[in-house]
């Protein structure tokens, strides 16, 4: 059973470009979470999605950031008009609908904005 | 609001020595507590979790953690560390069910020969 797959592993963008980060959850998992890790900091929650629904986006910046988890295909975190402050590691986690709230993490996408 | 404090940013331990990493949490209800480990350039791997019951929980790689409600703590321990344990360790708290996790800022563990 493959784990959570994120791609690309590394992404370099120039200021003003768009960044698209993809996350394929573990087989059978219907919940996806995105977290951001800034240098020397812990992970900060961004958004929680189920198929075709955003459940909690309380951690998403109000502008330029969006996320989706379509019925088919991976979850996408999209950052428009990137700025240097967006440089970070972005982690996706997936889980199932149960009490235990165990989240399984991917290896992350490291975004560098030049 | 929930929060997690890991007071030790960096700890250095000799190989074979014992280890304790501290974690304090603030949470309004019964917390679900987790310890994750992150090796350089890698994602997070779940070491152990506490939901209820026995306050001493066993995890993978020989780690254990003890939940102390009176101290709002969930410290991670290992009796004898190995060089491969060098990594960043994160404590996290979450509510019952599918919700976001709140992470501490992490403790970086260095192992010396």
């Amino acid at each position: 059973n493959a784990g959570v797959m994120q791609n690309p592993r590394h992404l370099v963008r120039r200021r003003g470009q768009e960044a698209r980060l993809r996350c394929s959850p573990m087989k059978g998992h219907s919940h996806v979470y995105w977290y951001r890790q800034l240098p020397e900091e812990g992970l900060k929650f961004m958004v929680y999605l189920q198929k075709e629904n955003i459940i909690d986006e309380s951690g998403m910046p109000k502008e330029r950031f969006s996320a989706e988890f379509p019925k088919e295909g991976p979850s996408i975190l999209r950052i428009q008009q990137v700025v240097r402050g967006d440089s970070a590691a972005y982690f996706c986690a997936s889980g199932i609908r149960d009490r235990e709230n165990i989240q399984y993490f991917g290896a992350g996408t490291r975004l560098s904005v030049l | 609001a929930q929060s997690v404090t890991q007071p030790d940013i960096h700890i250095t331990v000799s190989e074979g020595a014992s280890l304790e990493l501290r974690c304090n949490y603030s949470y309004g209800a019964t917390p679900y507590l987790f310890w994750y480990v992150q090796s350089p350039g890698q994602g997070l791997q779940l070491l152990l979790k506490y939901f209820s019951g026995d306050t001493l929980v066993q995890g993978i790689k020989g780690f254990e953690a003890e939940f102390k409600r009176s101290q709002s703590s969930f410290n991670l321990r290992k009796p004898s560390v190995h060089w491969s344990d060098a990594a960043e360790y994160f404590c996290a708290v979450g509510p019952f069910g599918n919700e976001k996790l709140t992470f501490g800022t992490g403790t970086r563990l260095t192992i010396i020969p």
Side-chain angles (χ1 to χ4, degrees):
Chain A
N1 187 12
V4 178
M5 304 301 292
Q6 290 188 250
N7 65 81
R9 292 292 309 275
H10 300 275
L11 182 61
V12 179
R13 286 288 178 265
R14 297 190 180 279
R15 282 178 293 171
Q17 292 184 319
E18 178 179 285
R20 280 184 179 242
L21 289 63
R22 289 178 290 278
C23 170
S24 296
M26 289 178 68
K27 186 177 181 180
H29 286 190
S30 57
H31 300 247
V32 165
Y33 309 79
W34 285 94
Y35 293 83
R36 178 166 62 176
Q37 184 180 31
L38 294 170
E40 307 300 322
E41 293 187 14
L43 279 73
K44 303 289 187 188
F45 169 78
M46 299 181 75
V47 62
Y48 162 37
L49 309 102
Q50 295 179 24
K51 287 281 187 181
E52 300 184 282
N53 283 303
I54 296 175
I55 306 302
D56 180 357
E57 56 181 348
S58 59
M60 287 280 271
K62 299 300 181 189
E63 298 178 349
R64 304 187 296 108
F65 285 72
S66 62
E68 63 177 9
F69 189 16
K71 186 177 181 180
E72 302 291 338
S75 176
I76 305 289
L77 179 67
R78 181 184 179 202
I79 311 172
Q80 296 178 288
Q81 300 177 328
V82 296
V83 301
R84 287 204 174 134
D86 297 332
S87 295
Y90 292 83
F91 288 95
C92 170
S94 72
I96 62 174
R97 185 175 179 81
D98 71 351
R99 309 156 50 105
E100 294 195 340
N101 198 13
I102 296 176
Q103 298 178 21
Y104 298 87
F105 283 79
T109 294
R110 280 152 182 83
L111 172 66
S112 296
V113 179
L114 304 180
Chain B
Q2 58 202 48
S3 66
V4 176
T5 301
Q6 293 181 249
D8 304 307
I9 296 174
H10 188 198
I11 284 182
T12 300
V13 177
S14 298
E15 189 168 15
S18 63
L19 171 70
E20 183 169 25
L21 302 181
R22 296 183 290 167
C23 171
N24 293 96
Y25 67 90
S26 173
Y27 194 71
T30 300
Y32 282 9
L33 293 157
F34 307 83
W35 274 100
Y36 283 87
V37 60
Q38 183 182 29
S39 298
Q42 301 298 313
L44 278 72
Q45 181 181 22
L46 180 66
L47 282 177
L48 48 78
K49 60 189 183 296
Y50 171 78
F51 297 137
S52 63
D54 193 347
T55 56
L56 184 63
V57 294
Q58 303 296 322
I60 62 171
K61 304 184 179 185
F63 285 92
E64 66 179 25
E66 186 172 11
F67 171 61
K68 293 186 177 180
R69 184 186 300 275
S70 62
Q71 299 177 19
S72 298
S73 69
F74 188 56
N75 294 348
L76 182 71
R77 300 194 294 249
K78 186 170 184 178
S80 177
V81 298
H82 186 263
W83 64 267
S84 61
D85 294 325
E88 188 105 22
Y89 291 79
F90 292 96
C91 181
V93 65
F96 177 97
N98 302 103
E99 297 285 344
K100 62 186 177 186
L101 295 179
T102 298
F103 284 83
T105 50
T107 297
R108 183 172 300 167
L109 176 64
T110 298
I111 308 295
I112 56 175

